Amino acid sequence: MQQLIGSIDSSTTGTRFTICNLNGEQLSYHYITHKQITPHQGWLEHDPIEILNNTIECIKQAHKKMDGVHKLATIGVTNQRETVVAWNKHTAIPYMNAIVWSDTRTHDICQEYLNKYPKNYFQQKTGLPINTYFSSYKLQWMIQNNQALRDDLNSGNVLFGTIDCWIVWNLTREQNHLTDVTNASRTNLMNLHTLQWDEELLNQFNIPKSCLPQIKASNSNFGSLKIDEYEGVPINCVLGDQQAAAIGHALFHEGDCKNTQGSGLFIMANIGENIKISDYGLLTTVLYQKENEKPVYAFEGAVESGGQLFNWAKDKLQWFDNWEQLSQSTVNTEDNGGVYIVPAFSGLFTPFWNFDATGTIIGLSYYTTKDHIRRAILESVCYRTKDVIKAMEQSGIKINKIHVDGGLTKNKELMQLQADITQKKLVYPEIIESTASGAAMFAAVGLKLLTEEQIIQNMKVQQIYEGKKSYEKQYKQWELAVNCALQFKKIE
């Protein structure tokens, strides 16, 4: 009987449980979306209880879909990063909804830090700039704005964690308050050099260390499932979702690069075992750490809006009805007619890190058609990708090819545009659920059922896109459009 492995993938939009073989090939899965809660402009919340219930239901349904009796050797957990939960360790009840990574309610908190310190003040320790994106500012907001949480904080009843931590704590029922180095490296509280919570940073943000989880290597033992279908199956991997996707693409060599394209875009490149800090707006983060080994680091570029831009244009503005209509714009028009769309709905992330930047459409004229605007929507995702790749190469990492995955990569016209605009080879794998397969396979590495070399050998390519047309002149125009988005100021 072949060895089977599994993974929980708790993303921004929903939860997926996948059962696969050691090659990462999917045999069964179940997926459930969760509510996107937006109580105010710029706020985005998720219900932690809903996420937990959906996770359990996905496990049960994926198990039911499998033919015949089967066992799992291990599972991995992967999750949306930076999103934080606070709960009572005795009642297991959250104090409030989880604050999602793209939520910008911490704008004023971040501004207070920026009034005192330069943007990169914490970067030598954490690899991260001061920005609403990261967990420390969200935790500080929770403490300041939730009276019940604040009352319980000093008595030691409060637990903080990212989504992985919440899931592991509940599914093992052993009160394992644990996280891994990749998720911890996104909180702005972990020291990249020591891989532990930094006392100076904890004091800076007034966060008690006792509320935070223990940090472990990515393929450690995180406890065992307490669910009837898979009672006792060990969790041998926890990884942030972008790191799991990188494992799914076998980014084990320095310079290997991937771009996961979903709600946002996340471009990651392996930089080896030595910490490097970029002067060009890139994040330095932990790519993975095997137990009892040195960590491997990565440069990462985060693009604030990918699929979210398309959903906004389709659902709120009715600029197109379906993917086919959007893609057809590249056939109907030779260019964008001079129209550029900068999707700064939550400010601009890499390499600008400006949360005051505003969404911008520029270059409109009487010549402009709907197809020009639709094409500009597609191109904006590609230009933002090029912004990040340019920063990586300025930081000394040569990128020869980009492994791609995520929902947007199913659009062939978008992928060809991206190859043209970046002038890089795009590699589209046979196994497109790289995040789920990456977490499962790295759990198998933790049990020594797989090696990194075997993951590399198992990688199969479905399609390669290569640049056919230069967009050098258009990219310069794009940079002018970005400047407009950065300089536009709201009058208070």
Side-chain angles (χ1 to χ4, degrees):
M1 183 182 290
Q2 65 174 330
Q3 292 267 28
L4 300 182
I5 52 180
S7 67
I8 296 166
D9 179 2
S10 185
S11 72
T12 308
T13 52
T15 301
R16 176 188 185 98
F17 185 73
T18 302
I19 300 168
C20 56
N21 60 25
L22 292 178
N23 294 331
E25 295 165 340
Q26 178 181 284
L27 304 175
S28 175
Y29 81 94
H30 194 76
Y31 176 78
I32 305 174
T33 59
H34 50 249
K35 294 183 185 71
Q36 305 297 311
I37 304 164
T38 54
H40 303 286
Q41 183 177 355
W43 292 31
L44 181 59
E45 300 176 354
H46 293 156
D47 179 352
I49 299 295
E50 181 188 14
I51 288 174
L52 177 61
N53 290 339
N54 288 353
T55 302
I56 294 169
E57 185 62 19
C58 283
I59 291 172
K60 290 178 180 294
Q61 292 301 322
H63 175 272
K64 191 182 294 184
K65 291 175 184 177
M66 281 290 288
D67 293 329
V69 177
H70 67 280
K71 291 183 179 180
L72 296 185
T74 182
I75 73 159
V77 174
T78 182
N79 57 287
Q80 53 169 315
R81 306 164 304 168
E82 299 94 19
T83 299
V84 286
V85 186
W87 70 97
N88 184 290
K89 70 179 181 182
H90 300 296
T91 67
I93 297 173
Y95 289 94
M96 57 181 290
N97 284 332
I99 301 180
V100 179
W101 59 271
S102 60
D103 184 292
T104 59
R105 75 184 68 186
T106 56
H107 176 282
D108 290 346
I109 291 174
C110 291
Q111 193 58 57
E112 287 177 18
Y113 282 100
L114 289 170
N115 291 340
K116 293 188 287 187
Y117 309 118
K119 189 190 302 183
N120 60 356
Y121 181 72
F122 300 115
Q123 205 156 359
Q124 290 299 321
K125 276 190 174 184
T126 68
L128 310 175
I130 296 171
N131 193 270
T132 60
Y133 186 18
F134 305 110
S135 309
S136 58
Y137 310 100
K138 302 179 195 298
L139 292 176
Q140 194 167 43
W141 189 95
M142 285 180 167
I143 293 168
Q144 291 175 1
N145 291 276
N146 190 294
Q147 184 64 50
L149 186 157
R150 205 159 54 246
D151 290 343
D152 284 351
L153 197 61
N154 293 328
S155 59
N157 293 329
V158 178
L159 296 180
F160 290 130
T162 40
I163 294 294
D164 60 296
C165 185
W166 167 249
I167 289 172
V168 168
W169 193 86
N170 281 282
L171 293 191
T172 61
R173 296 187 201 163
E174 295 161 0
Q175 298 196 343
N176 287 323
H177 194 209
L178 307 171
T179 191
D180 93 300
V181 287
T182 67
N183 280 290
S185 72
R186 312 297 295 192
T187 61
N188 198 48
L189 296 171
M190 188 192 84
N191 188 312
L192 285 178
H193 303 269
T194 65
L195 304 181
Q196 297 298 323
W197 303 120
D198 187 273
E199 295 288 352
E200 184 181 345
L201 291 171
L202 296 179
N203 292 333
Q204 177 84 246
F205 289 96
N206 296 313
I207 297 171
K209 189 176 181 180
S210 59
C211 298
L212 295 172
Q214 178 188 348
I215 302 171
K216 302 187 78 173
S218 307
N219 66 354
S220 303
N221 187 311
F222 290 85
S224 301
L225 289 178
K226 299 294 186 293
I227 294 177
D228 290 345
E229 286 78 1
Y230 296 115
E231 182 74 31
V233 173
I235 300 172
N236 288 105
C237 166
V238 170
L239 285 166
D241 54 4
Q242 302 313 315
Q243 284 88 341
I247 298 296
H249 286 292
L251 301 194
F252 295 118
H253 298 132
E254 194 167 337
D256 287 350
C257 178
K258 69 91 190 171
N259 184 3
T260 298
Q261 306 182 41
S263 303
L265 275 69
F266 300 92
I267 300 123
M268 187 173 275
N270 184 323
I271 60 172
E273 294 181 353
N274 296 316
I275 296 172
K276 300 180 179 72
I277 302 296
S278 168
D279 293 326
Y280 297 93
L282 297 170
L283 310 177
T284 302
T285 194
V286 180
L287 181 57
Y288 63 89
Q289 184 191 21
K290 293 168 68 177
E291 200 164 25
N292 302 318
E293 293 189 16
K294 288 183 177 180
V296 174
Y297 296 93
F299 276 151
E300 182 176 340
V303 174
E304 59 294 323
S305 187
Q308 288 178 330
L309 167 65
F310 299 147
N311 292 337
W312 168 80
K314 178 172 124 359
D315 299 334
K316 292 203 171 180
L317 301 185
Q318 285 84 50
W319 278 350
F320 59 94
D321 298 323
N322 50 53
W323 267 109
E324 291 71 27
Q325 192 177 34
L326 183 63
S327 301
Q328 187 63 29
S329 66
T330 63
V331 178
N332 296 347
T333 58
E334 292 183 0
D335 55 38
N336 61 15
V339 177
Y340 292 85
I341 297 178
V342 183
F345 297 102
S346 303
L348 284 171
F349 290 3
T350 310
F352 310 102
W353 296 110
N354 186 315
F355 44 70
D356 288 324
T358 56
T360 302
I361 303 175
I362 199 164
L364 297 172
S365 70
Y366 287 123
Y367 172 68
T368 303
T369 67
K370 280 187 177 180
D371 276 325
H372 288 134
I373 293 173
R374 290 168 185 152
R375 185 182 180 111
I377 292 169
L378 287 169
E379 288 185 358
S380 70
V381 171
C382 306
Y383 287 128
R384 287 294 286 120
T385 298
K386 184 174 175 67
D387 289 339
V388 176
I389 297 301
K390 178 182 175 183
M392 285 187 172
E393 297 199 319
Q394 288 173 323
S395 301
I397 302 297
K398 178 62 179 169
I399 307 297
N400 296 314
K401 60 185 178 182
I402 306 170
H403 296 263
V404 296
D405 71 287
L408 301 190
T409 61
K410 296 172 185 176
N411 187 299
K412 294 183 178 181
E413 289 78 15
L414 176 62
M415 290 300 95
Q416 187 55 58
L417 266 177
Q418 204 167 111
D420 290 339
I421 288 173
T422 61
Q423 287 295 292
K424 300 295 179 187
K425 184 185 294 184
L426 304 189
V427 180
Y428 184 72
E430 275 193 10
I431 298 173
I432 58 174
E433 291 296 339
S434 303
T435 304
S437 64
M441 289 190 293
F442 210 58
V445 171
L447 274 188
K448 296 184 170 47
L449 301 176
L450 269 179
T451 64
E452 295 169 31
E453 291 72 25
Q454 286 172 315
I455 294 176
I456 294 171
Q457 291 166 8
N458 290 339
M459 275 290 298
K460 294 183 177 67
V461 175
Q462 184 178 142
Q463 189 166 353
I464 292 176
Y465 298 89
E466 299 196 53
K468 298 176 181 176
K469 176 182 174 183
S470 173
Y471 278 74
E472 189 174 344
K473 179 182 175 183
Q474 291 91 328
Y475 183 67
K476 289 178 181 176
Q477 199 73 49
W478 162 261
E479 291 181 309
L480 294 176
V482 168
N483 284 336
C484 292
L486 291 168
Q487 291 171 18
F488 185 83
K489 299 293 180 188
K490 295 177 184 175
I491 298 174
E492 298 295 337

